[in-house]
Every structure is written in structure tokens, then in C-alpha cells.
Amino acid sequence: MANDVRDPDESDDAKKTRELIAENIRRIEEMLRFLPLSDGAVADLRTKIALLRTILLEQRPPAFALVGRRGAGKSSMVNALFGAKVAEVGHVRSQTGRGRWFDHKSERGAISVLDTRGIQEGSAPAEADGAKDAIASIVVELKRKVPDVILFLVKATEADSAIDADLDALERVYAEIEREHRFRPPLVAIATHCDVLEPKATRLHCADEEPKEEVDEKIARVAEVEHHLETKIKERGKLGPHLVWTRGVSTYLSFKDDAVRADERWRIDELVTTLFKHLPDAGRGTFVRIARVRGLQEELASNLTRATAAICAGVAALPIPVADVIPITTMQVSLIAGIAWLSGRPLDRKAAAEFLGAMGANVGAGFALREGARALIKFVFPGAGSMVSGAVAFAGTLAVGAAARAYFLRGASIEDAKRAFERKKNEEDVASSSPPSDRDRWNIN
Ligand SMILES: Nc1nc2c(ncn2[C@@H]2O[C@H](COP(=O)(O)OP(=O)(O)O)[C@@H](O)[C@H]2O)c(=O)[nH]1
Ligand SMILES: [Mg+2]
């Protein structure tokens, strides 16, 4: 899949930071063979290193194919995922021409979208090139790149009328992908425009403020639509097995001069969570930055933290001279930069410097990763010489990760971040002061 795109607008600092992290990860990998660990433990560390590399260095835009007729809400869906105006909605001819993969961008990243509009319009095509061309171009595009997930969109108000042509189109898309890539992407079926179901005036996006009975009535209608949609899809043997989620949503956002004027989105967080679940790691980092669902940012950040902690503990198991603590704290600085990045900040040293400075480490904004690493030693491992035990490296890394998550993802004050750091560190210290020992914990031979 040729969808690994490096952002051409990436700053020099970001490039440099990437290179440093890449270099550091390479070093750590080289150390692996010196580690006194079992094969199983080494394999486990390799998996964790691969995760770090994928999240920090090998991100690409997630790729979604949107299937649904004109007006189903495909462009609105793209805007709803971003929470901003990135796609033209309504009767505007798309800037992409027909049936092309297109990267919708914001400063937080890009989502690659294949808008298959026109594919089901066997008759009366609105555009001069017609349905045949639409199909031909979509087939070409599906060859070029395989979608991670397919989103099938139907207007809730039209779900029980003629969706057979749409389902034919969807089958067609699956057949092409299957033939070309031997892969069947997960299918997410969405009923859009749920906000306009009866009772029309009842607002689902602020259901707490609405009469309960009316909300219940509206949600019951949504459930009916979902049931119908799901049944229709499951009737098709070629589609049913790939269906992972069916839900009614509202993508409604109104813009004025490109700024959000009204946000009436409903259940988009749930949708984002589902899409996240079905994305490969290479698309997940970008996706959580764009969609900004806190829980998912947290999930990825804690995966990153745990992986880094395990790697640091592994490095700490090395006898000197290789095992001075610099590689460990360098990994921790990378972790801070990574968590800042997941929060939407650029992947550069500025965010890490800000965090380290606020925590009390003395670093300039343009610090070298190693300098940051040295500064970090003082407060992660106070009193330690050049040797730290695996357990202490593990606890220290979890604590750094906890503080960075509090600061960047929850917008905690630096005081709170410090408290999160101390709390985590103490928890882990207590946990590691009694068995299991380093040896048990890391399967050390
Ligand atoms: N009320 C409401 N309007 C929507 C929703 N989704 C899309 N729309 C509107 O439906 C029209 C068509 O949407 P658009 O995203 O351009 O559909 P596309 O042709 O599939 O790209 C636009 O006027 C949108 O504002 C929704 O969930 N609720
Ligand atoms: Mg559109």
C-alpha cells in the first residue's frame, strides 16, 4: 500500500526530531541482542518497539471509502470527523473531480477519502461524464489504494425506500477490492440525518434538555432505521459478514466563514471509536489527533507509555557500560514528544521542552534529545548513579507518561501533572519493592 505520506509542510524541527527518535529506536534495537532476556521477552520487546516506530515515525492518513448517494452526507461526514470545515457540503462540485482518493487536511493531519458518489446512479447522472465513468474511475482508485474501512451512508429518512441500488454499488466496491487486494475491509453502516427524524424539533445532541418521552420516541425511530439497515445488509451474503457496526448519527455542523457556527453532531464520538478500533496502528495516531476523542488519545498514549516502559526496563537490565541511563531518558523524552503529538501538537522538541521546563528540568526549547534526557535523569531517578534497575526504569517511565498525559491530553496544570508523576511513581515503587522481582517481571534468564 503506497499510502505512507510524510507531511511536506513538516518543519525542520519536526524532521530533526523524527530523525533523532528514529536513531534512538535503532540504537535500542541494537542493544536488544545484548539483553539478558529470554527469546520470548526479546520478541515481546521487538513488538513494543515496532509499535513505537509505527506511532511515532510511520503514520499515514487513515483511508476511508465513503459509499452513498448524493446528499447522503459523505462530505458532511468528513467535516464531522474533523470537527471543522475541510470538505465542501451540498451542491458544490467537489474539488476532487470524480471518484478520486483525496486527502482532506487540517494542521493536525489528513484523512484519505474515496468518495464513490455517482457509482449507484445508473440513470440520469447529474454530471456530464456519467455513471459509467464514475464506476470506471472508482475501480481504478480501488486498485491504487485499499480503504482501511468502508463507510456506507444512507439518509435515515430514506433508509426504507430504495437502498437496493446503493447496496448493489457497495457489493461492487467489495468485489473490486477483493479481486485486487484479497482483502475485505470492515463495513460500517451509518444512517445520517437522524436529527430530522420525528419529533423533528427534539434535539438529540442535547437530549438532557429535552422532554424524555420525545427523546425516547426519537431514539426508537433511530433504532428502527438501524434495524432495517442492518437487516438489508445482512440479507446480502457478500456484505453481511463484513458489517461491524450499524448506527444512526447526525453529522450536522453549520459553518460561517469556515468557523463552526452550530455543532449538532450526535454519536460521532461513538463512530470515531469504532473506526479507530478497525484502523491499523499506522493510521491510528493521525486519526486520534484529528478526531480528538480524549479516550482514544489516552488509550494510544498509554499503549505508548507501557511499550516505552517495558523497553526502558529492558535496557536497564543491561550491564554497564551500555546501560547508562541516557538511552532510557532519551526514550522518555521521545515518549513525551509522542504524547504531545497525539494531543495535536507538532512532533517537535518545543512541546517536550515546555513540559520538561515546567516540570523543573532546565532545558532550552532547541535542546538536543540527549540534553533533555540528561535533564530528565535528575527528577526521574533522583540519587541514581548511572545504573537503575529495571523496576525503577519501568516505574519512572510510567510516571513520565502519566504526567505527560495529564498535561497534554487533559490540559492539567503543571502542578497536577507533577502530582500525577509522583503518584504513579510511588504506586509503582511500592509495587516493585516486593516480588515480582525484575527477573520475574522481565523473564530474565
Ligand atoms: N440535518 C442534517 N443535515 C445533514 C446531515 N448530513 C448532511 N446534511 C446535509 O445534507 C446535505 C448534503 O450533505 P453532503 O455532505 O454534501 O452530502 P454528500 O453529497 O453525500 O457529500 C447538506 O445540506 C448537509 O448540510 C445530518 O446528519 N443532519
Ligand atoms: Mg459531497
Side-chain angles (χ1 to χ4, degrees):
M1 270 173 268
N3 24 10
D4 178 45
V5 283
R6 194 89 333 127
D7 183 0
D9 306 330
E10 191 175 68
S11 72
D12 284 349
D13 192 341
K15 255 184 221 122
K16 184 118 197 173
T17 305
R18 248 178 228 290
E19 281 163 18
L20 287 167
I21 293 176
E23 159 86 25
N24 193 49
I25 290 182
R26 261 197 308 278
R27 286 224 177 104
I28 299 273
E29 263 184 332
E30 280 165 20
M31 285 182 190
L32 276 186
R33 62 195 149 109
F34 300 113
L35 286 178
L37 301 175
S38 67
D39 289 351
V42 169
D44 180 51
L45 284 185
R46 283 201 195 285
T47 311
K48 294 190 157 77
I49 289 174
L51 176 73
L52 247 56
R53 182 177 277 128
T54 308
I55 299 293
L56 297 176
L57 305 171
E58 293 166 356
Q59 285 296 302
R60 57 153 175 91
F64 301 124
L66 303 189
V67 179
R69 54 184 58 205
R70 239 168 266 270
K74 298 180 296 301
S75 303
S76 302
M77 175 58 71
V78 173
N79 291 337
L81 294 176
F82 276 89
K85 187 170 176 188
V86 295
E88 287 298 337
V89 163
H91 301 292
V92 195
R93 269 185 70 147
S94 163
Q95 65 275 49
T96 61
R98 66 198 141 72
R100 286 276 143 79
W101 279 106
F102 183 80
D103 279 1
H104 291 282
K105 283 184 189 153
S106 80
E107 74 283 354
R108 281 175 277 122
I111 295 181
S112 205
V113 171
L114 177 62
D115 184 330
T116 64
R117 74 207 160 75
I119 193 175
Q120 83 294 350
E121 291 170 8
S123 59
E127 284 177 19
D129 29 53
K132 270 221 177 75
D133 282 3
I135 292 168
S137 69
I138 289 160
V139 168
V140 169
E141 292 301 288
L142 287 172
K143 277 195 179 126
R144 202 156 74 77
K145 182 154 85 181
V146 58
D148 294 314
V149 182
I150 297 185
L151 280 73
F152 178 60
L153 283 77
V154 182
K155 255 181 166 175
T157 47
E158 293 172 3
D160 54 359
S161 55
I163 66 165
D164 290 322
D166 304 63
L167 289 171
D168 291 343
L170 188 57
E171 277 189 354
R172 179 90 202 250
V173 166
Y174 266 97
E176 293 300 335
I177 296 172
E178 159 97 74
R179 197 171 58 174
E180 198 60 37
H181 305 283
R182 303 260 153 256
F183 171 65
R184 297 175 205 84
L187 173 62
V188 168
I190 302 161
T192 60
H193 292 75
C194 282
D195 51 314
V196 303
L197 290 174
E198 292 296 339
K200 209 165 172 176
T202 307
R203 299 163 308 160
L204 291 170
H205 65 283
C206 42
D208 294 351
E209 297 161 26
E210 299 286 18
K212 185 172 177 315
E213 262 170 46
E214 283 169 26
V215 172
D216 289 348
E217 182 188 339
K218 192 153 181 158
I219 295 209
R221 281 182 209 276
V222 172
E224 259 171 51
V225 172
E226 289 166 348
H227 179 72
H228 175 76
L229 190 55
E230 188 175 330
T231 310
K232 279 293 222 182
I233 293 173
K234 293 225 158 128
E235 276 169 10
R236 307 240 177 171
K238 290 187 181 131
L239 297 177
H242 314 306
L243 184 65
V244 295
W245 201 73
T246 309
R247 275 289 193 290
V249 307
S250 165
T251 59
Y252 188 83
L253 275 171
S254 150
F255 303 100
K256 184 162 195 257
D257 305 329
D258 287 351
V260 175
R261 171 164 56 188
D263 182 352
E264 297 178 9
R265 287 177 296 170
W266 179 63
R267 283 190 177 163
I268 296 302
D269 278 7
E270 253 187 80
L271 169 65
V272 166
T273 303
T274 301
L275 295 177
F276 174 84
K277 211 162 78 191
H278 294 281
L279 282 176
D281 283 326
R284 281 183 165 176
T286 314
F287 191 57
V288 303
R289 290 185 90 218
I290 290 170
R292 286 186 288 192
V293 172
R294 174 87 52 75
L296 300 178
Q297 290 170 313
E298 290 267 2
E299 185 178 327
L300 219 44
S302 48
N303 289 350
L304 210 56
T305 305
R306 277 196 301 270
T308 309
I311 294 163
C312 290
V315 172
L318 271 178
I320 32 179
V322 205
D324 73 290
V325 293
I326 290 291
I328 295 177
T329 44
T330 306
M331 287 302 290
Q332 292 171 341
V333 177
S334 307
L335 172 64
I336 297 166
I339 291 174
W341 179 78
L342 288 172
S343 81
R345 308 269 298 244
L347 184 74
D348 58 23
R349 288 166 292 175
K350 222 162 118 198
E354 175 192 313
F355 174 82
L356 288 170
M359 292 288 283
N362 190 15
V363 290
F367 73 97
L369 224 49
R370 280 192 151 237
E371 257 172 81
R374 278 203 191 87
L376 200 53
I377 293 171
K378 291 197 192 78
F379 71 99
V380 181
F381 307 117
S386 66
M387 281 293 285
V388 291
S389 72
V392 168
F394 189 75
T397 310
L398 290 187
V400 168
R405 291 202 311 272
Y407 186 72
F408 290 111
L409 299 180
R410 272 165 263 150
S413 69
I414 201 67
E415 291 314 314
D416 284 341
K418 275 184 187 163
R419 270 193 286 279
F421 175 80
E422 291 304 335
R423 211 179 312 121
K424 192 79 203 168
K425 196 152 175 277
N426 292 335
E427 250 173 52
E428 290 297 325
D429 283 349
V430 170
S432 61
S433 63
S434 52
S437 70
D438 277 10
R439 232 155 240 289
D440 300 333
R441 202 184 271 238
W442 307 114
N443 293 326
I444 296 171
N445 286 329

PDB file of all heavy atoms in Angstrom, residues 66 69-76 87-95 115 117, ligand 2:
ATOM      1  N   LEU A  66     -16.098   6.128   1.138  1.00  0.00           N
ATOM      2  CA  LEU A  66     -17.461   6.519   1.504  1.00  0.00           C
ATOM      3  C   LEU A  66     -18.406   6.141   0.364  1.00  0.00           C
ATOM      4  O   LEU A  66     -18.266   6.634  -0.752  1.00  0.00           O
ATOM      5  CB  LEU A  66     -17.545   8.027   1.755  1.00  0.00           C
ATOM      6  CG  LEU A  66     -16.610   8.611   2.812  1.00  0.00           C
ATOM      7  CD1 LEU A  66     -16.971  10.061   3.104  1.00  0.00           C
ATOM      8  CD2 LEU A  66     -16.656   7.799   4.103  1.00  0.00           C
ATOM      9  N   ARG A  69     -25.280   7.742  -1.784  1.00  0.00           N
ATOM     10  CA  ARG A  69     -25.663   8.611  -2.903  1.00  0.00           C
ATOM     11  C   ARG A  69     -25.474  10.081  -2.578  1.00  0.00           C
ATOM     12  O   ARG A  69     -25.211  10.450  -1.440  1.00  0.00           O
ATOM     13  CB  ARG A  69     -27.088   8.323  -3.355  1.00  0.00           C
ATOM     14  CG  ARG A  69     -28.115   8.387  -2.253  1.00  0.00           C
ATOM     15  CD  ARG A  69     -29.473   7.997  -2.802  1.00  0.00           C
ATOM     16  NE  ARG A  69     -29.442   6.640  -3.392  1.00  0.00           N
ATOM     17  CZ  ARG A  69     -30.297   6.241  -4.343  1.00  0.00           C
ATOM     18  NH1 ARG A  69     -31.205   7.072  -4.814  1.00  0.00           N
ATOM     19  NH2 ARG A  69     -30.237   5.015  -4.806  1.00  0.00           N
ATOM     20  N   ARG A  70     -25.599  10.875  -3.627  1.00  0.00           N
ATOM     21  CA  ARG A  70     -25.507  12.320  -3.470  1.00  0.00           C
ATOM     22  C   ARG A  70     -26.467  12.782  -2.378  1.00  0.00           C
ATOM     23  O   ARG A  70     -27.620  12.348  -2.370  1.00  0.00           O
ATOM     24  CB  ARG A  70     -25.953  12.982  -4.780  1.00  0.00           C
ATOM     25  CG  ARG A  70     -24.939  13.842  -5.428  1.00  0.00           C
ATOM     26  CD  ARG A  70     -25.414  14.173  -6.825  1.00  0.00           C
ATOM     27  NE  ARG A  70     -24.854  13.202  -7.766  1.00  0.00           N
ATOM     28  CZ  ARG A  70     -23.683  13.394  -8.383  1.00  0.00           C
ATOM     29  NH1 ARG A  70     -22.982  14.475  -8.171  1.00  0.00           N
ATOM     30  NH2 ARG A  70     -23.238  12.486  -9.222  1.00  0.00           N
ATOM     31  N   GLY A  71     -25.982  13.566  -1.485  1.00  0.00           N
ATOM     32  CA  GLY A  71     -26.844  14.097  -0.432  1.00  0.00           C
ATOM     33  C   GLY A  71     -26.939  13.190   0.789  1.00  0.00           C
ATOM     34  O   GLY A  71     -27.562  13.541   1.789  1.00  0.00           O
ATOM     35  N   ALA A  72     -26.311  12.012   0.732  1.00  0.00           N
ATOM     36  CA  ALA A  72     -26.366  11.098   1.878  1.00  0.00           C
ATOM     37  C   ALA A  72     -25.627  11.693   3.071  1.00  0.00           C
ATOM     38  O   ALA A  72     -25.903  11.346   4.222  1.00  0.00           O
ATOM     39  CB  ALA A  72     -25.769   9.748   1.504  1.00  0.00           C
ATOM     40  N   GLY A  73     -24.673  12.548   2.771  1.00  0.00           N
ATOM     41  CA  GLY A  73     -23.935  13.200   3.859  1.00  0.00           C
ATOM     42  C   GLY A  73     -22.470  12.777   3.929  1.00  0.00           C
ATOM     43  O   GLY A  73     -21.866  12.787   4.999  1.00  0.00           O
ATOM     44  N   LYS A  74     -21.887  12.437   2.772  1.00  0.00           N
ATOM     45  CA  LYS A  74     -20.491  11.982   2.754  1.00  0.00           C
ATOM     46  C   LYS A  74     -19.528  13.124   3.102  1.00  0.00           C
ATOM     47  O   LYS A  74     -18.645  12.969   3.949  1.00  0.00           O
ATOM     48  CB  LYS A  74     -20.147  11.369   1.388  1.00  0.00           C
ATOM     49  CG  LYS A  74     -21.001  10.133   1.069  1.00  0.00           C
ATOM     50  CD  LYS A  74     -20.676   9.520  -0.265  1.00  0.00           C
ATOM     51  CE  LYS A  74     -20.977  10.422  -1.465  1.00  0.00           C
ATOM     52  NZ  LYS A  74     -22.392  10.832  -1.565  1.00  0.00           N
ATOM     53  N   SER A  75     -19.729  14.263   2.433  1.00  0.00           N
ATOM     54  CA  SER A  75     -18.843  15.400   2.730  1.00  0.00           C
ATOM     55  C   SER A  75     -19.042  15.876   4.168  1.00  0.00           C
ATOM     56  O   SER A  75     -18.083  16.215   4.866  1.00  0.00           O
ATOM     57  CB  SER A  75     -19.118  16.556   1.766  1.00  0.00           C
ATOM     58  OG  SER A  75     -18.961  16.104   0.433  1.00  0.00           O
ATOM     59  N   SER A  76     -20.299  15.866   4.610  1.00  0.00           N
ATOM     60  CA  SER A  76     -20.573  16.272   5.998  1.00  0.00           C
ATOM     61  C   SER A  76     -19.899  15.328   6.972  1.00  0.00           C
ATOM     62  O   SER A  76     -19.459  15.742   8.047  1.00  0.00           O
ATOM     63  CB  SER A  76     -22.076  16.270   6.261  1.00  0.00           C
ATOM     64  OG  SER A  76     -22.723  17.130   5.361  1.00  0.00           O
ATOM     65  N   ALA A  87     -14.305  19.859   3.930  1.00  0.00           N
ATOM     66  CA  ALA A  87     -14.908  19.422   2.672  1.00  0.00           C
ATOM     67  C   ALA A  87     -16.096  20.322   2.336  1.00  0.00           C
ATOM     68  O   ALA A  87     -16.774  20.823   3.225  1.00  0.00           O
ATOM     69  CB  ALA A  87     -15.369  17.965   2.792  1.00  0.00           C
ATOM     70  N   GLU A  88     -16.321  20.500   1.061  1.00  0.00           N
ATOM     71  CA  GLU A  88     -17.469  21.300   0.625  1.00  0.00           C
ATOM     72  C   GLU A  88     -18.729  20.454   0.711  1.00  0.00           C
ATOM     73  O   GLU A  88     -18.773  19.326   0.237  1.00  0.00           O
ATOM     74  CB  GLU A  88     -17.275  21.772  -0.816  1.00  0.00           C
ATOM     75  CG  GLU A  88     -16.235  22.871  -0.966  1.00  0.00           C
ATOM     76  CD  GLU A  88     -16.600  24.152  -0.216  1.00  0.00           C
ATOM     77  OE1 GLU A  88     -17.801  24.374   0.056  1.00  0.00           O
ATOM     78  OE2 GLU A  88     -15.671  24.909   0.109  1.00  0.00           O
ATOM     79  N   VAL A  89     -19.744  21.038   1.295  1.00  0.00           N
ATOM     80  CA  VAL A  89     -21.003  20.329   1.511  1.00  0.00           C
ATOM     81  C   VAL A  89     -22.063  20.843   0.551  1.00  0.00           C
ATOM     82  O   VAL A  89     -22.030  22.002   0.160  1.00  0.00           O
ATOM     83  CB  VAL A  89     -21.460  20.537   2.976  1.00  0.00           C
ATOM     84  CG1 VAL A  89     -22.919  20.201   3.165  1.00  0.00           C
ATOM     85  CG2 VAL A  89     -20.594  19.711   3.914  1.00  0.00           C
ATOM     86  N   GLY A  90     -22.989  19.957   0.181  1.00  0.00           N
ATOM     87  CA  GLY A  90     -24.148  20.396  -0.584  1.00  0.00           C
ATOM     88  C   GLY A  90     -23.899  20.359  -2.080  1.00  0.00           C
ATOM     89  O   GLY A  90     -23.213  19.484  -2.574  1.00  0.00           O
ATOM     90  N   HIS A  91     -24.448  21.340  -2.784  1.00  0.00           N
ATOM     91  CA  HIS A  91     -24.478  21.249  -4.241  1.00  0.00           C
ATOM     92  C   HIS A  91     -23.204  21.701  -4.924  1.00  0.00           C
ATOM     93  O   HIS A  91     -23.188  21.920  -6.119  1.00  0.00           O
ATOM     94  CB  HIS A  91     -25.681  22.016  -4.791  1.00  0.00           C
ATOM     95  CG  HIS A  91     -26.971  21.496  -4.259  1.00  0.00           C
ATOM     96  ND1 HIS A  91     -27.441  20.244  -4.589  1.00  0.00           N
ATOM     97  CD2 HIS A  91     -27.861  22.011  -3.369  1.00  0.00           C
ATOM     98  CE1 HIS A  91     -28.571  20.016  -3.953  1.00  0.00           C
ATOM     99  NE2 HIS A  91     -28.849  21.070  -3.198  1.00  0.00           N
ATOM    100  N   VAL A  92     -22.161  21.842  -4.155  1.00  0.00           N
ATOM    101  CA  VAL A  92     -20.908  22.285  -4.761  1.00  0.00           C
ATOM    102  C   VAL A  92     -20.232  21.089  -5.411  1.00  0.00           C
ATOM    103  O   VAL A  92     -20.183  20.012  -4.842  1.00  0.00           O
ATOM    104  CB  VAL A  92     -19.955  22.839  -3.672  1.00  0.00           C
ATOM    105  CG1 VAL A  92     -18.841  23.622  -4.319  1.00  0.00           C
ATOM    106  CG2 VAL A  92     -20.727  23.662  -2.674  1.00  0.00           C
ATOM    107  N   ARG A  93     -19.718  21.297  -6.596  1.00  0.00           N
ATOM    108  CA  ARG A  93     -18.961  20.211  -7.215  1.00  0.00           C
ATOM    109  C   ARG A  93     -17.653  20.053  -6.451  1.00  0.00           C
ATOM    110  O   ARG A  93     -16.965  21.010  -6.164  1.00  0.00           O
ATOM    111  CB  ARG A  93     -18.658  20.536  -8.669  1.00  0.00           C
ATOM    112  CG  ARG A  93     -19.733  20.005  -9.596  1.00  0.00           C
ATOM    113  CD  ARG A  93     -19.343  20.228 -11.023  1.00  0.00           C
ATOM    114  NE  ARG A  93     -18.228  19.378 -11.404  1.00  0.00           N
ATOM    115  CZ  ARG A  93     -18.082  18.887 -12.629  1.00  0.00           C
ATOM    116  NH1 ARG A  93     -18.963  19.166 -13.552  1.00  0.00           N
ATOM    117  NH2 ARG A  93     -17.048  18.139 -12.926  1.00  0.00           N
ATOM    118  N   SER A  94     -17.367  18.814  -6.149  1.00  0.00           N
ATOM    119  CA  SER A  94     -16.171  18.562  -5.343  1.00  0.00           C
ATOM    120  C   SER A  94     -14.917  19.035  -6.060  1.00  0.00           C
ATOM    121  O   SER A  94     -14.811  18.961  -7.267  1.00  0.00           O
ATOM    122  CB  SER A  94     -16.054  17.075  -5.066  1.00  0.00           C
ATOM    123  OG  SER A  94     -14.754  16.775  -4.650  1.00  0.00           O
ATOM    124  N   GLN A  95     -13.967  19.508  -5.241  1.00  0.00           N
ATOM    125  CA  GLN A  95     -12.700  19.965  -5.806  1.00  0.00           C
ATOM    126  C   GLN A  95     -11.861  18.798  -6.305  1.00  0.00           C
ATOM    127  O   GLN A  95     -10.829  18.968  -6.903  1.00  0.00           O
ATOM    128  CB  GLN A  95     -11.912  20.776  -4.751  1.00  0.00           C
ATOM    129  CG  GLN A  95     -11.457  19.975  -3.528  1.00  0.00           C
ATOM    130  CD  GLN A  95     -12.514  19.860  -2.448  1.00  0.00           C
ATOM    131  OE1 GLN A  95     -13.661  19.524  -2.714  1.00  0.00           O
ATOM    132  NE2 GLN A  95     -12.126  20.121  -1.216  1.00  0.00           N
ATOM    133  N   ASP A 115     -14.510   9.182  -2.283  1.00  0.00           N
ATOM    134  CA  ASP A 115     -15.934   9.495  -2.365  1.00  0.00           C
ATOM    135  C   ASP A 115     -16.466   8.795  -3.610  1.00  0.00           C
ATOM    136  O   ASP A 115     -16.121   9.155  -4.728  1.00  0.00           O
ATOM    137  CB  ASP A 115     -16.091  11.023  -2.462  1.00  0.00           C
ATOM    138  CG  ASP A 115     -17.548  11.469  -2.452  1.00  0.00           C
ATOM    139  OD1 ASP A 115     -18.406  10.700  -2.928  1.00  0.00           O
ATOM    140  OD2 ASP A 115     -17.819  12.587  -1.990  1.00  0.00           O
ATOM    141  N   ARG A 117     -19.359   8.718  -4.903  1.00  0.00           N
ATOM    142  CA  ARG A 117     -20.637   9.241  -5.386  1.00  0.00           C
ATOM    143  C   ARG A 117     -20.764   8.994  -6.883  1.00  0.00           C
ATOM    144  O   ARG A 117     -19.785   9.047  -7.618  1.00  0.00           O
ATOM    145  CB  ARG A 117     -20.752  10.724  -5.098  1.00  0.00           C
ATOM    146  CG  ARG A 117     -19.919  11.582  -5.965  1.00  0.00           C
ATOM    147  CD  ARG A 117     -19.568  12.848  -5.245  1.00  0.00           C
ATOM    148  NE  ARG A 117     -18.406  13.427  -5.891  1.00  0.00           N
ATOM    149  CZ  ARG A 117     -18.464  14.045  -7.054  1.00  0.00           C
ATOM    150  NH1 ARG A 117     -19.621  14.138  -7.685  1.00  0.00           N
ATOM    151  NH2 ARG A 117     -17.384  14.541  -7.586  1.00  0.00           N
TER     152      ARG A 117
HETATM  153 MG    MG B   2     -20.171  15.613  -1.216  1.00  0.00          MG
END
